[in-house]
Amino acid sequence: EFTAGGRSEYILHEKYAQSSGHYIRAYLLIQKDLQELFDYIEPAYKNQDTYSYRVHALLLRTCVEIEANFVAILKENGYTKRDNLNMSDYRKINTTHRLSSYEVKLPVWNGPHNIREPFLNWGNNESLDWYKAYNKTKHNRHSEFENATFGCLIDAVCGLVSLLTSQFLNNDFSPSDTLLSTGGPNDGMESTIGDYFRVKYP
C-alpha cells in the first residue's frame, strides 16, 4: 500500500474536500465514454485532427468538469473572487498543484505523443490549446466545429486526469479498504483513478 508519506489519510479526512466522490464519479463516466469512442476512432496520432459531434460533446463535458474542479479548489481555499472566474483565475492553481509538470500516458496509442503534458503551456505562461478549442466551439460551433479535434479531447481528458491526481492521488473513494497502490509496467509512472491512464508526478 502506498501512502505518500501519510497523504492518503489526509485526503480521506472528511474536511479535505467537499463531495470528493462526486468529482470522481463524473470523471469515471468521461473515461468510460472515451473508451467507447475508441471503438470508432482508433487512439492514434494519425487521427488527432478527426472531429465529430461525439468528440465535440465529450470535449465540452470534460472541460466543464475541469472548470468545476477548479472552482471547487478556489472556493475551498478562500479565493475571494466568486463570479466570472476564468482561466487567469484557474491558472493560479498551477502554483500549488504543479499541473504544468504532470505527464499522463495513454496505455493504448499508435504513434508519437502517447505521453501528454496538458498543462505544460502554463509553465511557459501560455494559454492551453485544448481549452481554447473548447471555448471557440462552445461559443461558435458552426464556424469553429473543426477545432474540436480528437487530439484536443485527449489533451483535455489528460488535463482532468492531472487535476484529479494532483488532488486525490489515485484514490477513487470506493467503499473498499484498498486505498492507494503501486504496480503496473516498469515505466516510471503510476496508475491513476480508474486504472486506465498512467501518470508521472512532478
Side-chain angles (χ1 to χ4, degrees), residues 7 11 16 24 97 99 102 104 158-171 190-193 198-202:
R7 187 178 171 199
I11 290 171
Y16 179 77
I24 303 303
H97 290 60
L99 295 172
Y102 273 82
V104 181
C158 289
L160 182 55
V161 169
S162 300
L163 183 53
L164 290 173
T165 301
S166 74
Q167 297 176 80
F168 308 123
L169 304 180
N170 68 346
N171 197 321
E190 299 179 37
S191 62
T192 61
I193 296 165
R198 294 182 63 75
V199 67
K200 184 175 182 180
Y201 289 87

Side-chain angles (χ1 to χ4, degrees), residues 13 25 50 118 144:
H13 194 281
R25 287 182 59 215
T50 300
E144 302 289 347

Side-chain angles (χ1 to χ4, degrees), residues 20-160:
S20 305
H22 168 83
Y23 298 99
I24 303 303
R25 287 182 59 215
Y27 162 69
L28 291 175
L29 285 173
I30 288 172
Q31 178 183 284
K32 176 178 174 288
D33 290 345
L34 178 67
Q35 289 175 291
E36 290 180 358
L37 184 64
F38 289 164
D39 290 341
Y40 304 95
I41 303 175
E42 183 67 15
Y45 179 76
K46 288 184 176 180
N47 291 332
Q48 287 211 129
D49 293 333
T50 300
Y51 59 95
S52 71
Y53 285 104
R54 295 284 187 187
V55 171
H56 179 255
L58 194 51
L59 175 64
L60 293 184
R61 277 179 50 207
T62 302
C63 289
V64 165
E65 194 58 32
I66 288 170
E67 291 173 335
N69 275 268
F70 280 145
V71 169
I73 291 169
L74 291 172
K75 180 180 177 182
E76 293 198 23
N77 285 278
Y79 193 61
T80 54
K81 182 180 176 183
R82 295 289 179 171
D83 299 319
N84 301 317
L85 295 175
N86 55 45
M87 265 298 169
S88 65
D89 300 296
Y90 304 150
R91 189 182 295 187
K92 298 178 189 304
I93 294 171
N94 190 47
T95 303
T96 55
H97 290 60
R98 301 175 65 186
L99 295 172
S100 59
S101 297
Y102 273 82
E103 297 179 19
V104 181
K105 180 179 180 181
L106 288 93
V108 178
W109 185 261
N110 187 10
H113 301 301
N114 71 315
I115 295 178
R116 303 288 179 134
E117 298 173 272
F119 291 102
L120 179 64
N121 283 7
W122 273 2
N124 301 320
N125 204 29
E126 298 172 355
S127 58
L128 308 173
D129 292 338
W130 53 269
Y131 191 82
K132 286 193 296 184
Y134 153 70
N135 261 324
K136 286 180 179 179
T137 57
K138 177 178 70 172
H139 294 296
N140 191 352
R141 189 182 68 185
H142 177 71
S143 59
E144 302 289 347
F145 185 48
E146 63 185 39
N147 285 300
T149 65
F150 185 61
C152 286
L153 170 61
I154 296 296
D155 284 332
V157 174
C158 289
L160 182 55

